Amino acid sequence: MPHLPPRADLSTHEVTNQPPTRGDIDLWASDPALQTHAGAAGADAAHLARYGATIGTAEMQAAGRTANRQAPELVLFDAGGRRLDEVRFHPAYHQLMKAGVGAGYSAIAWEGAKGGHATHAAMVYLTSQIEPGVCCPMTMTYAAVPALRADEGLFGTWVPKLTSRVYDGSALPLGRKPGATLGMAMTEKQGGSDVRANATVATPDGEAYRLHGHKWFCSAPMSDGFLTLAQADGGLTCFLVPRWLEEGRNAIRIQRLKDKLGNRSNASSEIEYEGALAYRVGEEGAGVRTIIEMVHHTRLDTAMAPAGLMRAALDHAWYWARHRTAFQKQLSDQPLMRAVLADLALDWEGALALGMHVARSFDSTGEGHRAFARLGVALAKFLGNKLCPNVVYEAMECLGGMGYVEDTPMPLLYREAPLNSIWEGSGNVICLDILRTLRKAPEAGEVLAAELGRATGQDARFDAGLKAHMERFPKLPEEGQARWYVESLASLLTAAVLIRNAPAPVAEAYAATRLGAPRGRVAGAMEGVDTGAVLARLGE
């Protein structure tokens, strides 16, 4: 709906030196770095151009802010005291879900088109800039598809609904819905990341099972089903638990919604299975091997989301700097501001480049590429998420006091910044998984070595950084050094991708400031960087 412009000539003063309202933002056209790295990864540029123009409109921005402010509501009982166990969402949430599902966020990777996973990864990046909370249910739905391959019958029943481009948020059984979403419920109080300590019990009931137990974290509890882990006679096993049955509600009791730091639009909950009907996915005792397929794909999204959050924060900071003056000079022309923003932009583009490069390996075939995908996505997830909170904070500071005010997107982005490092394996878990992958899948290390080797001989600082890494870590490190090792390796891989795909000044600046050269610990404490070339990647 068109609106009259707000008044600037107020009774006590005239509003000046404030950036104009942005309005629609074409998130694809305004992001040359995304165009570069999505193209290099083989993503569908035409599809992303349409989605970037749609998801960035002022209407979608407003829906994102509303969905974040109007938190989901837990409704346990109806007026007569009958059990509901439902979560009600603001219409803005459903609007965003409809846009994402309708554009193929959950489906496009499985539709057979070239570059499907890379296109999906770029959609995660774009959606995270508008409202990251809605990404969770769509991400889990996308990632559930390969896990369901462990059971032909469940795959045939569920996957057509999960890959439908129709969003249906109603409380109805699967057979009565044109499209469905799927979540997961794995974490328990006593185990956390150690899912083998799970205590939920699965008891056979004909061809199905009945689950009894408590789940400490269940994301998106209004999904149409959940992949979950429980102890069967044969050991820890993966199950699909429908949310709704033909005869009514399944015995899944929502205990409460988590009061989280961020991710406010997404309901996260504690649940109990009180004899809930469940179907086995894979063999008894093979629960971890089965569910890891889902985790592997959700990790791709947790690697892309921080790049999107960094992009959103830097985009707003850069817009502010180009429309704000201080001390008789535009902020974007002041050398110190340019140094800070350029430094942050290197972290952002590095995370974007590495995430998209790894997404390409999800689209590739062969055991080597598959092994590298597991290794590469862990490296990307670790580094991007460790950088994200500081990038968002520094971008917030560029706005001064306004960056700390909810009238801007910065508080939302700041609250969101730590999440993806915790979800699907915190930093230590990821580091240990990287060491385990390199030990058990030597082909992953071989592909990684080839990736790094392609960048040698083009930048002396990269070559020196690679040499220093090999001298420091001639073999896999002990556990206590794993973070140092992973940060170094992920930074080298990022530099290698930038050398191959990014403009030379960007790749050179990254290698010069990230691979061992002396510098300060804070953003902007660097020298010898072509800030103009780096800042050009933020767009206009």
Side-chain angles (χ1 to χ4, degrees), residues 199-252:
T200 298
V201 174
T203 305
D205 183 5
E207 295 184 355
Y209 290 73
R210 295 286 175 176
L211 301 189
H212 294 81
H214 179 273
K215 294 295 180 179
W216 190 228
F217 276 92
C218 173
S219 293
M222 291 310 291
S223 299
D224 295 290
F226 308 98
L227 288 180
T228 195
L229 294 175
Q231 299 288 354
D233 289 343
L236 191 65
T237 303
C238 182
F239 295 92
L240 192 156
V241 189
R243 187 73 177 86
W244 322 107
L245 305 175
E246 288 295 337
E247 59 271 24
R249 287 163 167 76
N250 203 356
I252 304 170

Side-chain angles (χ1 to χ4, degrees), residues 8 36 230 247 297 324 331 361 416:
T36 294
E247 59 271 24
H297 287 79
R324 178 85 167 173
L331 284 177
S361 68
E416 195 75 19

Side-chain angles (χ1 to χ4, degrees), residues 116-198:
H117 289 284
T119 305
H120 162 82
M123 293 180 72
V124 176
Y125 169 85
L126 291 167
T127 310
S128 297
Q129 297 176 47
I130 299 301
E131 212 304 297
V134 299
C135 291
C136 178
M138 294 190 289
T139 284
M140 292 189 295
T141 302
Y142 150 77
V145 172
L148 289 175
R149 290 185 180 132
D151 188 283
E152 184 177 349
L154 291 174
F155 187 91
T157 301
W158 280 84
V159 169
K161 301 295 179 75
L162 300 180
T163 55
S164 165
R165 292 199 180 192
V166 179
Y167 171 66
D168 185 345
S170 61
L172 291 171
L174 184 70
R176 294 161 61 185
K177 300 182 72 168
T181 59
L182 200 66
M184 68 164 66
M186 292 199 294
T187 306
E188 298 185 9
K189 293 176 183 175
Q190 72 283 350
S193 297
D194 184 8
V195 294
R196 295 187 186 277
N198 281 8

Side-chain angles (χ1 to χ4, degrees), residues 436-454:
R436 186 162 46 248
T437 299
L438 287 169
R439 289 190 185 103
K440 293 187 175 182
E443 63 273 22
E446 293 168 4
V447 176
L448 175 62
E451 292 276 350
L452 297 172
R454 291 191 191 98

